[in-house]
Amino acid sequence: SSNNNNNNNNSSSSSNNAGAPTQGGGGGGGSMKLEEIMREQERQGEREREEGRRIAAKASAVVQSGIGARTWARMNSEEVNQILRLQNGMLRDAAATDVYFSMLLAKAGSRSNFSGPRIEGRTLKLSEALEGALGKPPPRDLRRPRQLVKIDSAAAPPPSEDAAKGQSEGAGPSPEEAEEESRNVPPTASALPRAVRVSIEDAMLHLLAVQDMDKIAFPSSQTRERRATVVRELHALLHVTPSKGCMPPDNFIPVAADSNTMTQASLSSDAFFVQLLLVPKGCKMLLRSMHLFDPQDATDVLCQMLRCLPPLAYLSATGKEATGIELLVQLLVKLVYSLDILRLTNVLQGLLAAYTDAGLHLMACTKLGALALAALLRRGHDEYMSHDNSQPSPQETTNLLAWAAVCSTLIRRFSGGLEGVFMAATQHAVTGLPPSIITDAEVMVDLLYELGANADQDQRALICRELASAALRTGNPQVQEQVTQLLQSLNFTT
């Protein structure tokens, strides 16, 4: 093994000596070859740099002439245009996505006008709705509605002699009319729905301001005073008429059973309140802000809503975009359960003063009216049930007796219309009312149960006799059997 190692070492040393340059005449030839290689590499680098400068100059000239004239190494112009078309097809509007570029243009003082890349002669331009909008459509302004019809002044009819005479005398338009004319608002447009929507938007701003102030952990006295002021302004935007002991205003006409009762309110403030509740956003705003009002303000809202139940029921069912009955019932229930039994007694007295007997019967024939009465009576019944296991105080006993007396008056006045309610719920026989607002059998059962829960034995017997008489007049044995089972399930005396 030692001999083999020696042989290997000798062979490797001989090979190394063979590759090394020899001293003397052979060393000069090796250095000349190395210099030639370095000069060739320098010439090659210079040629490559010159070629790069030439290609860059040609590319710059082609870029300035547009995408269509650009030459590509691996794709032709048709393939590039196809890729750009697919990318831009995924964007609904290229201007709407370029918010930052439009914002920079607006800060620089120039008008926002974004145009996308040119694709085969077609340019993506900013639409009229997005011009100057910083990439998003501007919201509608309720105080300055958009003009629907543009009428040329040349096509307008000539003024009449009276108008010309008035202009010659110097009688110009009022400031309000001049402002409306500058806004291009038609003079025949109804002002009430527009004023209602403006009030709703202002009330929403007040509600958001109150919510922001409620987030402060340790509010100062100025913040609390500001919050109370904002809440009062919010309540004023609702146009709620303050009630004197829950009684209707002096100029209020009691609700009767006629066509005007179902379509319009008797007072202007009631008409404004009805329109506000018929807008879904207004009703939701009122639901969200009820916890901000004190009991007296909530009582005023409930009294005004009960006075307006017939037009609310009719317009809610017939309006295309009106508030649904579910949202109105939710608001009613929240108002009813936010008051104590003493205030509810006053509310029920105000309800009896606002309706005639015929108007009370007509209101009960509507689904919204029957549900409102059932909610009021159920609240009183719950108050009775809360004192079953405890002895009420003298003041609570007085309040419960006052509630029972008002309920007795309500049942006595209402008992004469039970047959109409029964026929409306079972036969839908109410002339002049849309079928969608008439009460159904389920709502009638709820109302009868609450009437019986707040009635004495004599009144229960009276209700039983009227329902049995109404079932006999139908001449339908099946209906008579159902009424008998209903009275037995309600624990009414026969």
Side-chain angles (χ1 to χ4, degrees):
S1 61
S2 61
N3 294 330
N4 292 333
N5 291 332
N6 293 330
N7 293 331
N8 291 333
N9 293 331
N10 292 331
S11 60
S12 61
S13 61
S14 62
S15 62
N16 291 333
N17 293 330
T22 59
Q23 295 181 355
S31 61
M32 292 179 60
K33 290 182 180 179
L34 182 60
E35 292 176 356
E36 290 179 358
I37 292 173
M38 293 177 64
R39 284 195 296 270
E40 182 65 23
Q41 289 179 352
E42 290 178 358
R43 287 194 296 271
Q44 180 69 20
E46 185 65 26
R47 285 195 298 269
E48 291 179 356
R49 286 192 293 273
E50 183 66 24
E51 183 69 17
R53 286 193 293 269
R54 184 180 62 81
I55 293 175
K58 182 179 179 181
S60 177
V62 172
V63 166
Q64 294 179 358
S65 62
I67 293 178
R70 183 183 295 180
T71 58
W72 305 92
R74 294 180 175 82
M75 291 190 299
N76 54 27
S77 61
E78 294 182 358
E79 294 172 345
V80 172
N81 280 321
Q82 179 67 19
I83 292 175
L84 291 177
R85 192 179 298 107
L86 292 175
Q87 291 177 348
N88 287 275
M90 292 184 291
L91 301 176
R92 295 183 179 178
D93 195 340
T97 61
D98 199 7
V99 181
Y100 303 102
F101 180 73
S102 302
M103 182 175 62
L104 291 176
L105 288 180
K107 287 183 177 180
S110 60
R111 189 175 181 180
S112 174
N113 187 12
F114 171 76
S115 60
R118 182 165 57 86
I119 302 175
E120 294 184 355
R122 182 173 64 88
T123 304
L124 299 176
K125 294 183 179 180
L126 186 68
S127 61
E128 295 180 358
L130 294 175
E131 288 186 1
L134 298 181
K136 59 182 180 180
R140 291 181 55 191
D141 192 354
L142 294 172
R143 296 173 179 81
R144 295 178 180 270
R146 189 177 301 172
Q147 182 181 1
L148 299 180
V149 179
K150 185 177 181 181
I151 302 175
D152 296 334
S153 58
S160 60
E161 297 180 359
D162 297 338
K165 182 178 179 181
Q167 293 177 359
S168 62
E169 293 177 356
S174 62
E176 292 80 6
E177 294 176 356
E179 185 180 1
E180 294 294 331
E181 185 178 356
S182 65
R183 294 176 182 176
N184 296 323
V185 177
T188 57
S190 176
L192 181 59
R194 190 171 137 214
V196 168
R197 292 184 179 274
V198 169
S199 295
I200 292 173
E201 296 298 330
D202 293 341
M204 287 297 297
L205 292 178
H206 284 69
L207 181 59
L208 293 176
V210 172
Q211 291 177 354
D212 290 339
M213 285 184 279
D214 288 340
K215 293 178 182 178
I216 301 176
F218 302 101
S220 61
S221 58
Q222 292 83 1
T223 303
R224 290 192 291 268
E225 292 176 0
R226 174 60 182 163
R227 182 185 183 278
T229 303
V230 173
V231 171
R232 286 195 299 269
E233 293 175 355
L234 172 60
H235 184 265
L237 289 171
L238 302 179
H239 290 247
V240 177
T241 305
S243 58
K244 300 178 181 179
C246 298
M247 289 293 111
D250 298 334
N251 57 345
F252 181 78
I253 302 174
V255 179
D258 53 12
S259 58
N260 293 331
T261 298
M262 301 301 301
T263 56
Q264 59 186 0
S266 60
L267 298 179
S268 59
S269 59
D270 290 349
F272 188 96
F273 188 72
V274 168
Q275 292 293 331
L276 187 141
L277 289 181
L278 289 176
V279 179
K281 187 175 182 180
C283 191
K284 292 177 182 178
M285 178 271 299
L286 190 55
L287 268 171
R288 291 174 57 186
S289 59
M290 282 309 304
H291 68 283
L292 303 175
F293 300 149
D294 56 13
Q296 183 58 43
D297 292 339
T299 303
D300 295 340
V301 173
L302 179 58
C303 289
Q304 189 158 358
M305 191 173 182
L306 292 176
R307 290 199 306 265
C308 303
L309 282 178
L312 277 175
Y314 183 86
L315 297 175
S316 174
T318 57
K320 185 178 180 181
E321 297 180 356
T323 306
I325 188 175
E326 295 84 5
L327 202 58
L328 293 173
V329 171
Q330 184 180 354
L331 177 59
L332 271 169
V333 173
K334 188 173 183 178
L335 284 168
V336 167
Y337 277 86
S338 65
L339 304 178
D340 56 8
I341 191 65
L342 182 59
R343 293 186 181 274
L344 281 178
T345 303
N346 297 331
V347 168
L348 195 54
Q349 288 177 347
L351 175 67
L352 294 176
Y355 286 84
T356 62
D357 291 348
L360 194 64
H361 300 160
L362 179 62
M363 182 192 68
C365 290
T366 63
K367 186 180 297 184
L368 182 61
L371 288 172
L373 286 175
L376 278 171
L377 296 172
R378 184 180 298 115
R379 176 68 177 89
H381 185 222
D382 292 343
E383 191 71 21
Y384 272 111
M385 297 299 295
S386 64
H387 297 288
D388 278 351
N389 299 326
S390 62
Q391 183 67 26
S393 64
Q395 182 62 41
E396 292 174 345
T397 303
T398 304
N399 295 339
L400 292 176
L401 290 176
W403 171 260
V406 178
C407 286
S408 178
T409 305
L410 171 66
I411 296 171
R412 186 178 66 253
R413 291 182 54 183
F414 185 74
S415 59
L418 279 178
E419 182 178 355
V421 176
F422 178 81
M423 297 301 294
T426 57
Q427 309 294 329
H428 291 276
V430 179
T431 306
L433 293 183
S436 57
I437 73 171
I438 300 176
T439 185
D440 53 15
E442 183 178 357
V443 176
M444 182 195 68
V445 171
D446 291 340
L447 179 58
L448 290 175
Y449 176 80
E450 300 303 334
L451 284 172
N454 289 272
D456 54 20
Q457 294 296 329
D458 295 337
Q459 290 175 339
R460 288 188 180 186
L462 177 62
I463 295 173
C464 179
R465 287 194 298 269
E466 290 195 6
L467 287 178
S469 175
L472 287 174
R473 288 191 181 92
T474 60
N476 190 342
Q478 185 178 1
V479 173
Q480 297 173 11
E481 181 65 25
Q482 291 176 354
V483 169
T484 302
Q485 295 177 0
L486 172 64
L487 295 177
Q488 290 177 356
S489 62
L490 294 177
N491 263 340
F492 281 14
T493 58
T494 56

